Amino acid sequence: MAKILDGKAAAAEVRSEVASEVAKLKERGVPVRLDVILVGQDPASVTYVSSKERDSQEVGIESRVHRFPSEVSQQELATLVETLNEDVAVSGFFIQLPLPEGLDPVSLISRITPAKDVDGLSPESAGRLAVGLPSLLPCTPHGIIQLLGRNGIELSGSEAVVIGRSNLVGKPLAQLLLRENATVTVCHSRTRDLPEVARRADLLVVAAGQKEMVGAEHVKEGAVVVDVGIHRGEEGGLVGDVRFDEVEPKAAWISPVPGGVGPMTRAMLLHNAVRAARMQAEAPKRG
Ligand code: NAD
């Protein structure tokens, strides 16, 4: 029977570390503020933004939401990005995705200054990660590394297989696993014989966005399995990319859905906001 990678517990640890860091910064006269750009009324985005606001308030981070109708122009958003980059009161900010059709997220994200890029998704942040320069790390992959580390799972020298090559999860996770000295294989929709490749893994991370796609045939006895997927299940609850009941007896560790990677993603956003505030407080002043 596998041990559970409890994301709720690890996220609570991260939040409490963030809260004490926020308090210390406040004592030094450095408030932490996290801003969000929200465009349109997509119900999932509206819900995510309010939960991120709630999370921030809980740890003493001030949050501001810049709301726009779907018809807002690219230029107006680009101007706001520049304003937030320059505003010394803003520690970090992000654009809630997806943006409505007609707006180009990549060009907007590319304008976010790396020091405030709390989602860690700008090309510059991604490049800094790839070449080993300090940067704010994308929340989901960083949350996975934290979840593993906080459970004492050693990555150095291990065979890690990541299923999925998105800019949001798969690619940055591969970079972080390399940094941890794992041997990394990245699989995707064109991978030939996925079960065979996946069975090599000491650590198997599944971020394919395909409901319950991974089963016992993909998993080596004693592997660590991290499930990133989030889907609505038949009975209304959430399920992942992994068939939990089938994989759990084979794995040494497994992350559940819900309660695994999701809470860590949320906690790492707060971690990034506080790290951004600290970096800006410590950076030499321009002038
Ligand atoms: P995406 O759709 O951008 O990328 C999916 C990747 O999986 C692609 O690279 C694709 O090549 C690969 N893939 C698709 N089908 C495959 C198959 N049959 N075999 C092998 N590879 C396949 O998705 P994403 O943004 O990386 O998200 C992945 C999943 O993780 C989604 O379910 C998403 O909702 C979830 N997610 C969860 C969190 C969280 O905090 N828990 C955060 C981000 C994403």
Side-chain angles (χ1 to χ4, degrees):
M1 210 174 80
K3 285 188 258 184
I4 296 296
L5 288 164
D6 184 345
K8 276 195 201 161
E13 276 176 28
V14 173
R15 281 198 305 274
S16 112
E17 290 160 15
V18 167
S20 70
E21 187 80 18
V22 171
K24 275 193 220 140
L25 282 168
K26 268 190 194 151
E27 271 171 32
R28 286 171 49 196
V30 182
V32 185
R33 186 176 130 187
L34 175 60
D35 284 25
V36 190
I37 301 174
L38 173 62
V39 183
Q41 295 289 337
D42 173 57
S45 293
V46 171
T47 307
Y48 287 142
V49 166
S50 34
S51 56
K52 287 168 187 176
E53 274 186 284
R54 231 180 9 255
D55 289 351
S56 300
Q57 280 152 13
E58 256 175 50
V59 296
I61 295 177
E62 192 194 335
S63 74
R64 298 261 173 100
V65 183
H66 303 265
R67 290 188 168 79
F68 292 91
S70 310
E71 304 74 43
V72 67
S73 71
Q74 180 87 16
Q75 186 51 50
E76 195 174 339
L77 294 175
T79 305
L80 175 62
V81 168
E82 298 303 341
T83 306
L84 297 177
N85 279 341
E86 293 299 323
D87 187 344
V88 290
V90 178
S91 315
F93 65 100
F94 65 93
I95 301 167
Q96 181 65 43
L97 300 174
L99 287 177
E101 233 167 274
L103 292 167
D104 172 9
V106 177
S107 113
L108 290 170
I109 292 169
S110 302
R111 290 172 182 266
I112 302 175
T113 188
K116 295 192 179 189
D117 179 20
V118 287
D119 263 347
L121 295 178
S122 73
E124 190 166 344
S125 296
R128 294 179 73 88
L129 169 60
V131 298
L133 286 170
S135 62
L136 295 168
L137 302 174
C139 298
T140 301
H142 191 200
I144 293 168
I145 298 290
Q146 287 286 324
L147 182 60
L148 296 168
R150 285 167 191 265
N151 284 285
I153 292 163
E154 180 59 60
L155 296 172
S156 182
S158 68
E159 287 283 344
V161 174
V162 179
I163 305 182
R165 59 175 163 186
S166 71
N167 291 332
L168 184 65
V169 187
K171 280 190 219 160
L173 180 61
Q175 294 291 352
L176 287 173
L177 288 167
L178 283 175
R179 210 171 72 169
E180 299 292 326
N181 300 312
T183 301
V184 184
T185 304
V186 180
C187 300
H188 46 78
S189 49
R190 309 279 176 88
T191 297
R192 245 184 286 134
D193 201 350
L194 184 69
E196 194 270 325
V197 181
R199 274 198 308 271
R200 291 184 212 149
D202 302 313
L203 168 67
L204 178 64
V205 183
V206 192
Q210 304 288 330
K211 189 168 165 180
E212 298 186 316
M213 171 197 120
V214 162
E217 73 279 18
H218 296 84
V219 177
K220 175 170 79 176
E221 197 74 47
V224 176
V225 180
V226 175
D227 189 352
V228 185
I230 310 179
H231 312 273
R232 206 36 81 195
E234 308 298 313
E235 281 133 45
L238 294 181
V239 297
D241 283 359
V242 175
R243 299 196 288 277
F244 184 93
D245 292 346
E246 194 182 307
V247 169
E248 186 270 341
K250 258 186 133 174
W253 290 88
I254 188 166
S255 74
V257 179
V261 175
M264 291 306 288
T265 298
R266 283 170 64 170
M268 296 326 288
L269 179 68
L270 307 174
H271 167 93
N272 275 351
V274 89
R275 183 151 175 253
R278 197 174 347 104
M279 285 191 310
Q280 282 152 57
E282 285 160 11
K285 295 275 171 284
R286 284 182 295 177

PDB file of all heavy atoms in Angstrom, residues 158-160 195-204 214-225 247-253:
ATOM      1  N   SER A 158      17.920   9.556  -9.514  1.00  0.00           N
ATOM      2  CA  SER A 158      16.740   8.722  -9.805  1.00  0.00           C
ATOM      3  C   SER A 158      16.308   8.876 -11.266  1.00  0.00           C
ATOM      4  O   SER A 158      16.649   9.852 -11.937  1.00  0.00           O
ATOM      5  CB  SER A 158      15.575   9.117  -8.888  1.00  0.00           C
ATOM      6  OG  SER A 158      15.132  10.412  -9.222  1.00  0.00           O
ATOM      7  N   GLU A 159      15.549   7.900 -11.746  1.00  0.00           N
ATOM      8  CA  GLU A 159      14.957   7.966 -13.093  1.00  0.00           C
ATOM      9  C   GLU A 159      13.606   8.649 -12.959  1.00  0.00           C
ATOM     10  O   GLU A 159      12.694   8.110 -12.324  1.00  0.00           O
ATOM     11  CB  GLU A 159      14.687   6.553 -13.633  1.00  0.00           C
ATOM     12  CG  GLU A 159      15.890   5.769 -14.060  1.00  0.00           C
ATOM     13  CD  GLU A 159      16.430   6.205 -15.429  1.00  0.00           C
ATOM     14  OE1 GLU A 159      15.721   6.894 -16.185  1.00  0.00           O
ATOM     15  OE2 GLU A 159      17.579   5.828 -15.710  1.00  0.00           O
ATOM     16  N   ALA A 160      13.485   9.857 -13.524  1.00  0.00           N
ATOM     17  CA  ALA A 160      12.208  10.569 -13.454  1.00  0.00           C
ATOM     18  C   ALA A 160      11.585  10.601 -14.842  1.00  0.00           C
ATOM     19  O   ALA A 160      12.258  10.924 -15.820  1.00  0.00           O
ATOM     20  CB  ALA A 160      12.442  11.991 -12.962  1.00  0.00           C
ATOM     21  N   PRO A 195       3.590   3.114 -21.912  1.00  0.00           N
ATOM     22  CA  PRO A 195       3.725   2.278 -20.710  1.00  0.00           C
ATOM     23  C   PRO A 195       5.147   1.781 -20.498  1.00  0.00           C
ATOM     24  O   PRO A 195       5.656   1.779 -19.370  1.00  0.00           O
ATOM     25  CB  PRO A 195       2.760   1.108 -20.973  1.00  0.00           C
ATOM     26  CG  PRO A 195       1.760   1.660 -21.935  1.00  0.00           C
ATOM     27  CD  PRO A 195       2.517   2.629 -22.804  1.00  0.00           C
ATOM     28  N   GLU A 196       5.825   1.430 -21.598  1.00  0.00           N
ATOM     29  CA  GLU A 196       7.194   0.901 -21.477  1.00  0.00           C
ATOM     30  C   GLU A 196       8.133   1.975 -20.922  1.00  0.00           C
ATOM     31  O   GLU A 196       8.946   1.721 -20.037  1.00  0.00           O
ATOM     32  CB  GLU A 196       7.647   0.409 -22.861  1.00  0.00           C
ATOM     33  CG  GLU A 196       8.886  -0.471 -22.860  1.00  0.00           C
ATOM     34  CD  GLU A 196      10.176   0.325 -22.997  1.00  0.00           C
ATOM     35  OE1 GLU A 196      10.185   1.349 -23.707  1.00  0.00           O
ATOM     36  OE2 GLU A 196      11.174  -0.073 -22.376  1.00  0.00           O
ATOM     37  N   VAL A 197       8.009   3.203 -21.436  1.00  0.00           N
ATOM     38  CA  VAL A 197       8.876   4.291 -20.966  1.00  0.00           C
ATOM     39  C   VAL A 197       8.527   4.634 -19.510  1.00  0.00           C
ATOM     40  O   VAL A 197       9.406   4.793 -18.663  1.00  0.00           O
ATOM     41  CB  VAL A 197       8.740   5.553 -21.868  1.00  0.00           C
ATOM     42  CG1 VAL A 197       9.662   6.656 -21.367  1.00  0.00           C
ATOM     43  CG2 VAL A 197       9.042   5.225 -23.314  1.00  0.00           C
ATOM     44  N   ALA A 198       7.236   4.713 -19.229  1.00  0.00           N
ATOM     45  CA  ALA A 198       6.799   5.123 -17.884  1.00  0.00           C
ATOM     46  C   ALA A 198       7.247   4.108 -16.825  1.00  0.00           C
ATOM     47  O   ALA A 198       7.556   4.491 -15.690  1.00  0.00           O
ATOM     48  CB  ALA A 198       5.276   5.280 -17.860  1.00  0.00           C
ATOM     49  N   ARG A 199       7.312   2.840 -17.209  1.00  0.00           N
ATOM     50  CA  ARG A 199       7.694   1.790 -16.243  1.00  0.00           C
ATOM     51  C   ARG A 199       9.162   1.866 -15.825  1.00  0.00           C
ATOM     52  O   ARG A 199       9.558   1.223 -14.879  1.00  0.00           O
ATOM     53  CB  ARG A 199       7.387   0.397 -16.810  1.00  0.00           C
ATOM     54  CG  ARG A 199       5.962  -0.065 -16.558  1.00  0.00           C
ATOM     55  CD  ARG A 199       5.831  -1.577 -16.734  1.00  0.00           C
ATOM     56  NE  ARG A 199       6.360  -2.036 -18.009  1.00  0.00           N
ATOM     57  CZ  ARG A 199       5.659  -2.117 -19.146  1.00  0.00           C
ATOM     58  NH1 ARG A 199       4.386  -1.762 -19.159  1.00  0.00           N
ATOM     59  NH2 ARG A 199       6.222  -2.562 -20.250  1.00  0.00           N
ATOM     60  N   ARG A 200       9.961   2.704 -16.531  1.00  0.00           N
ATOM     61  CA  ARG A 200      11.354   2.885 -16.099  1.00  0.00           C
ATOM     62  C   ARG A 200      11.444   3.789 -14.872  1.00  0.00           C
ATOM     63  O   ARG A 200      12.475   3.893 -14.235  1.00  0.00           O
ATOM     64  CB  ARG A 200      12.154   3.602 -17.192  1.00  0.00           C
ATOM     65  CG  ARG A 200      12.390   2.808 -18.410  1.00  0.00           C
ATOM     66  CD  ARG A 200      13.291   3.664 -19.320  1.00  0.00           C
ATOM     67  NE  ARG A 200      12.982   3.382 -20.705  1.00  0.00           N
ATOM     68  CZ  ARG A 200      13.084   4.258 -21.687  1.00  0.00           C
ATOM     69  NH1 ARG A 200      13.483   5.490 -21.456  1.00  0.00           N
ATOM     70  NH2 ARG A 200      12.786   3.910 -22.913  1.00  0.00           N
ATOM     71  N   ALA A 201      10.350   4.499 -14.608  1.00  0.00           N
ATOM     72  CA  ALA A 201      10.438   5.613 -13.655  1.00  0.00           C
ATOM     73  C   ALA A 201      10.511   5.184 -12.196  1.00  0.00           C
ATOM     74  O   ALA A 201       9.727   4.346 -11.743  1.00  0.00           O
ATOM     75  CB  ALA A 201       9.221   6.526 -13.834  1.00  0.00           C
ATOM     76  N   ASP A 202      11.479   5.791 -11.474  1.00  0.00           N
ATOM     77  CA  ASP A 202      11.413   5.760 -10.009  1.00  0.00           C
ATOM     78  C   ASP A 202      10.398   6.814  -9.570  1.00  0.00           C
ATOM     79  O   ASP A 202       9.689   6.649  -8.592  1.00  0.00           O
ATOM     80  CB  ASP A 202      12.775   6.123  -9.396  1.00  0.00           C
ATOM     81  CG  ASP A 202      13.882   5.188  -9.863  1.00  0.00           C
ATOM     82  OD1 ASP A 202      13.644   3.959  -9.837  1.00  0.00           O
ATOM     83  OD2 ASP A 202      14.952   5.682 -10.280  1.00  0.00           O
ATOM     84  N   LEU A 203      10.392   7.937 -10.332  1.00  0.00           N
ATOM     85  CA  LEU A 203       9.411   9.001 -10.100  1.00  0.00           C
ATOM     86  C   LEU A 203       8.628   9.209 -11.389  1.00  0.00           C
ATOM     87  O   LEU A 203       9.217   9.528 -12.425  1.00  0.00           O
ATOM     88  CB  LEU A 203      10.126  10.312  -9.734  1.00  0.00           C
ATOM     89  CG  LEU A 203       9.237  11.567  -9.758  1.00  0.00           C
ATOM     90  CD1 LEU A 203       8.184  11.499  -8.653  1.00  0.00           C
ATOM     91  CD2 LEU A 203      10.073  12.836  -9.624  1.00  0.00           C
ATOM     92  N   LEU A 204       7.321   9.015 -11.326  1.00  0.00           N
ATOM     93  CA  LEU A 204       6.461   9.225 -12.501  1.00  0.00           C
ATOM     94  C   LEU A 204       5.529  10.397 -12.201  1.00  0.00           C
ATOM     95  O   LEU A 204       4.736  10.337 -11.258  1.00  0.00           O
ATOM     96  CB  LEU A 204       5.641   7.955 -12.779  1.00  0.00           C
ATOM     97  CG  LEU A 204       4.665   8.035 -13.963  1.00  0.00           C
ATOM     98  CD1 LEU A 204       5.407   8.236 -15.287  1.00  0.00           C
ATOM     99  CD2 LEU A 204       3.802   6.767 -14.046  1.00  0.00           C
ATOM    100  N   VAL A 214      -3.513   6.959 -16.828  1.00  0.00           N
ATOM    101  CA  VAL A 214      -2.391   6.127 -16.390  1.00  0.00           C
ATOM    102  C   VAL A 214      -2.873   5.053 -15.421  1.00  0.00           C
ATOM    103  O   VAL A 214      -3.567   5.340 -14.440  1.00  0.00           O
ATOM    104  CB  VAL A 214      -1.286   7.022 -15.758  1.00  0.00           C
ATOM    105  CG1 VAL A 214      -0.318   6.222 -14.915  1.00  0.00           C
ATOM    106  CG2 VAL A 214      -0.541   7.762 -16.869  1.00  0.00           C
ATOM    107  N   GLY A 215      -2.490   3.804 -15.732  1.00  0.00           N
ATOM    108  CA  GLY A 215      -2.909   2.685 -14.888  1.00  0.00           C
ATOM    109  C   GLY A 215      -1.723   1.865 -14.426  1.00  0.00           C
ATOM    110  O   GLY A 215      -0.556   2.260 -14.610  1.00  0.00           O
ATOM    111  N   ALA A 216      -2.017   0.696 -13.867  1.00  0.00           N
ATOM    112  CA  ALA A 216      -0.968  -0.164 -13.313  1.00  0.00           C
ATOM    113  C   ALA A 216       0.098  -0.519 -14.354  1.00  0.00           C
ATOM    114  O   ALA A 216       1.274  -0.673 -14.022  1.00  0.00           O
ATOM    115  CB  ALA A 216      -1.608  -1.434 -12.758  1.00  0.00           C
ATOM    116  N   GLU A 217      -0.294  -0.606 -15.632  1.00  0.00           N
ATOM    117  CA  GLU A 217       0.657  -1.012 -16.679  1.00  0.00           C
ATOM    118  C   GLU A 217       1.747   0.034 -16.922  1.00  0.00           C
ATOM    119  O   GLU A 217       2.740  -0.240 -17.590  1.00  0.00           O
ATOM    120  CB  GLU A 217      -0.083  -1.348 -17.990  1.00  0.00           C
ATOM    121  CG  GLU A 217      -0.657  -0.177 -18.791  1.00  0.00           C
ATOM    122  CD  GLU A 217      -2.007   0.346 -18.292  1.00  0.00           C
ATOM    123  OE1 GLU A 217      -2.390   0.069 -17.140  1.00  0.00           O
ATOM    124  OE2 GLU A 217      -2.674   1.075 -19.064  1.00  0.00           O
ATOM    125  N   HIS A 218       1.539   1.256 -16.394  1.00  0.00           N
ATOM    126  CA  HIS A 218       2.529   2.331 -16.576  1.00  0.00           C
ATOM    127  C   HIS A 218       3.498   2.445 -15.390  1.00  0.00           C
ATOM    128  O   HIS A 218       4.373   3.313 -15.397  1.00  0.00           O
ATOM    129  CB  HIS A 218       1.829   3.695 -16.702  1.00  0.00           C
ATOM    130  CG  HIS A 218       0.960   3.855 -17.889  1.00  0.00           C
ATOM    131  ND1 HIS A 218      -0.350   3.424 -17.926  1.00  0.00           N
ATOM    132  CD2 HIS A 218       1.206   4.417 -19.102  1.00  0.00           C
ATOM    133  CE1 HIS A 218      -0.878   3.723 -19.099  1.00  0.00           C
ATOM    134  NE2 HIS A 218       0.045   4.322 -19.833  1.00  0.00           N
ATOM    135  N   VAL A 219       3.284   1.643 -14.358  1.00  0.00           N
ATOM    136  CA  VAL A 219       3.973   1.935 -13.093  1.00  0.00           C
ATOM    137  C   VAL A 219       4.829   0.753 -12.638  1.00  0.00           C
ATOM    138  O   VAL A 219       4.354  -0.387 -12.574  1.00  0.00           O
ATOM    139  CB  VAL A 219       2.923   2.288 -11.999  1.00  0.00           C
ATOM    140  CG1 VAL A 219       3.590   2.524 -10.658  1.00  0.00           C
ATOM    141  CG2 VAL A 219       2.129   3.520 -12.414  1.00  0.00           C
ATOM    142  N   LYS A 220       6.090   1.082 -12.321  1.00  0.00           N
ATOM    143  CA  LYS A 220       6.995   0.067 -11.760  1.00  0.00           C
ATOM    144  C   LYS A 220       6.660  -0.124 -10.283  1.00  0.00           C
ATOM    145  O   LYS A 220       6.308   0.836  -9.587  1.00  0.00           O
ATOM    146  CB  LYS A 220       8.433   0.601 -11.916  1.00  0.00           C
ATOM    147  CG  LYS A 220       9.503  -0.249 -11.292  1.00  0.00           C
ATOM    148  CD  LYS A 220      10.890   0.228 -11.694  1.00  0.00           C
ATOM    149  CE  LYS A 220      11.343   1.453 -10.887  1.00  0.00           C
ATOM    150  NZ  LYS A 220      12.724   1.842 -11.238  1.00  0.00           N
ATOM    151  N   GLU A 221       6.790  -1.330  -9.810  1.00  0.00           N
ATOM    152  CA  GLU A 221       6.591  -1.632  -8.374  1.00  0.00           C
ATOM    153  C   GLU A 221       7.497  -0.709  -7.535  1.00  0.00           C
ATOM    154  O   GLU A 221       8.692  -0.591  -7.827  1.00  0.00           O
ATOM    155  CB  GLU A 221       6.977  -3.097  -8.158  1.00  0.00           C
ATOM    156  CG  GLU A 221       6.486  -3.740  -6.883  1.00  0.00           C
ATOM    157  CD  GLU A 221       4.993  -4.045  -6.911  1.00  0.00           C
ATOM    158  OE1 GLU A 221       4.495  -4.618  -7.922  1.00  0.00           O
ATOM    159  OE2 GLU A 221       4.344  -3.716  -5.917  1.00  0.00           O
ATOM    160  N   GLY A 222       6.918  -0.018  -6.568  1.00  0.00           N
ATOM    161  CA  GLY A 222       7.734   0.820  -5.677  1.00  0.00           C
ATOM    162  C   GLY A 222       8.004   2.228  -6.198  1.00  0.00           C
ATOM    163  O   GLY A 222       8.776   2.977  -5.591  1.00  0.00           O
ATOM    164  N   ALA A 223       7.374   2.623  -7.315  1.00  0.00           N
ATOM    165  CA  ALA A 223       7.602   3.972  -7.856  1.00  0.00           C
ATOM    166  C   ALA A 223       6.875   5.029  -7.025  1.00  0.00           C
ATOM    167  O   ALA A 223       5.932   4.720  -6.276  1.00  0.00           O
ATOM    168  CB  ALA A 223       7.111   4.031  -9.305  1.00  0.00           C
ATOM    169  N   VAL A 224       7.335   6.267  -7.197  1.00  0.00           N
ATOM    170  CA  VAL A 224       6.637   7.424  -6.617  1.00  0.00           C
ATOM    171  C   VAL A 224       5.801   8.018  -7.748  1.00  0.00           C
ATOM    172  O   VAL A 224       6.340   8.301  -8.826  1.00  0.00           O
ATOM    173  CB  VAL A 224       7.647   8.470  -6.099  1.00  0.00           C
ATOM    174  CG1 VAL A 224       6.937   9.715  -5.594  1.00  0.00           C
ATOM    175  CG2 VAL A 224       8.545   7.860  -5.021  1.00  0.00           C
ATOM    176  N   VAL A 225       4.508   8.194  -7.519  1.00  0.00           N
ATOM    177  CA  VAL A 225       3.615   8.661  -8.587  1.00  0.00           C
ATOM    178  C   VAL A 225       2.960   9.988  -8.171  1.00  0.00           C
ATOM    179  O   VAL A 225       2.332  10.073  -7.114  1.00  0.00           O
ATOM    180  CB  VAL A 225       2.524   7.607  -8.901  1.00  0.00           C
ATOM    181  CG1 VAL A 225       1.590   8.100 -10.010  1.00  0.00           C
ATOM    182  CG2 VAL A 225       3.171   6.277  -9.317  1.00  0.00           C
ATOM    183  N   VAL A 247      -3.323   2.026  -9.299  1.00  0.00           N
ATOM    184  CA  VAL A 247      -1.893   2.330  -9.189  1.00  0.00           C
ATOM    185  C   VAL A 247      -1.426   2.285  -7.738  1.00  0.00           C
ATOM    186  O   VAL A 247      -0.296   1.864  -7.443  1.00  0.00           O
ATOM    187  CB  VAL A 247      -1.607   3.720  -9.834  1.00  0.00           C
ATOM    188  CG1 VAL A 247      -0.210   4.216  -9.513  1.00  0.00           C
ATOM    189  CG2 VAL A 247      -1.828   3.651 -11.339  1.00  0.00           C
ATOM    190  N   GLU A 248      -2.301   2.690  -6.850  1.00  0.00           N
ATOM    191  CA  GLU A 248      -1.915   2.822  -5.429  1.00  0.00           C
ATOM    192  C   GLU A 248      -1.291   1.548  -4.847  1.00  0.00           C
ATOM    193  O   GLU A 248      -0.247   1.629  -4.167  1.00  0.00           O
ATOM    194  CB  GLU A 248      -3.150   3.302  -4.640  1.00  0.00           C
ATOM    195  CG  GLU A 248      -2.912   3.630  -3.198  1.00  0.00           C
ATOM    196  CD  GLU A 248      -3.112   2.437  -2.294  1.00  0.00           C
ATOM    197  OE1 GLU A 248      -3.776   1.463  -2.721  1.00  0.00           O
ATOM    198  OE2 GLU A 248      -2.589   2.475  -1.169  1.00  0.00           O
ATOM    199  N   PRO A 249      -1.818   0.340  -5.129  1.00  0.00           N
ATOM    200  CA  PRO A 249      -1.200  -0.856  -4.534  1.00  0.00           C
ATOM    201  C   PRO A 249       0.228  -1.117  -5.022  1.00  0.00           C
ATOM    202  O   PRO A 249       1.002  -1.785  -4.340  1.00  0.00           O
ATOM    203  CB  PRO A 249      -2.133  -1.993  -4.981  1.00  0.00           C
ATOM    204  CG  PRO A 249      -3.393  -1.349  -5.414  1.00  0.00           C
ATOM    205  CD  PRO A 249      -3.038   0.011  -5.893  1.00  0.00           C
ATOM    206  N   LYS A 250       0.580  -0.593  -6.195  1.00  0.00           N
ATOM    207  CA  LYS A 250       1.916  -0.839  -6.767  1.00  0.00           C
ATOM    208  C   LYS A 250       2.939   0.206  -6.340  1.00  0.00           C
ATOM    209  O   LYS A 250       4.138  -0.054  -6.324  1.00  0.00           O
ATOM    210  CB  LYS A 250       1.812  -0.765  -8.301  1.00  0.00           C
ATOM    211  CG  LYS A 250       1.780  -2.111  -8.979  1.00  0.00           C
ATOM    212  CD  LYS A 250       1.820  -1.928 -10.469  1.00  0.00           C
ATOM    213  CE  LYS A 250       2.835  -2.859 -11.102  1.00  0.00           C
ATOM    214  NZ  LYS A 250       2.769  -2.765 -12.564  1.00  0.00           N
ATOM    215  N   ALA A 251       2.451   1.415  -6.056  1.00  0.00           N
ATOM    216  CA  ALA A 251       3.364   2.540  -5.819  1.00  0.00           C
ATOM    217  C   ALA A 251       3.864   2.545  -4.379  1.00  0.00           C
ATOM    218  O   ALA A 251       3.224   1.991  -3.477  1.00  0.00           O
ATOM    219  CB  ALA A 251       2.635   3.853  -6.116  1.00  0.00           C
ATOM    220  N   ALA A 252       5.049   3.203  -4.173  1.00  0.00           N
ATOM    221  CA  ALA A 252       5.533   3.410  -2.804  1.00  0.00           C
ATOM    222  C   ALA A 252       4.885   4.659  -2.222  1.00  0.00           C
ATOM    223  O   ALA A 252       4.570   4.728  -1.034  1.00  0.00           O
ATOM    224  CB  ALA A 252       7.048   3.557  -2.811  1.00  0.00           C
ATOM    225  N   TRP A 253       4.733   5.662  -3.090  1.00  0.00           N
ATOM    226  CA  TRP A 253       4.090   6.932  -2.719  1.00  0.00           C
ATOM    227  C   TRP A 253       3.166   7.331  -3.863  1.00  0.00           C
ATOM    228  O   TRP A 253       3.494   7.107  -5.022  1.00  0.00           O
ATOM    229  CB  TRP A 253       5.122   8.052  -2.579  1.00  0.00           C
ATOM    230  CG  TRP A 253       6.046   7.962  -1.424  1.00  0.00           C
ATOM    231  CD1 TRP A 253       7.236   7.306  -1.377  1.00  0.00           C
ATOM    232  CD2 TRP A 253       5.887   8.601  -0.147  1.00  0.00           C
ATOM    233  NE1 TRP A 253       7.826   7.497  -0.159  1.00  0.00           N
ATOM    234  CE2 TRP A 253       7.027   8.294   0.614  1.00  0.00           C
ATOM    235  CE3 TRP A 253       4.901   9.421   0.419  1.00  0.00           C
ATOM    236  CZ2 TRP A 253       7.202   8.757   1.919  1.00  0.00           C
ATOM    237  CZ3 TRP A 253       5.075   9.887   1.708  1.00  0.00           C
ATOM    238  CH2 TRP A 253       6.209   9.554   2.452  1.00  0.00           C
TER     239      TRP A 253
END
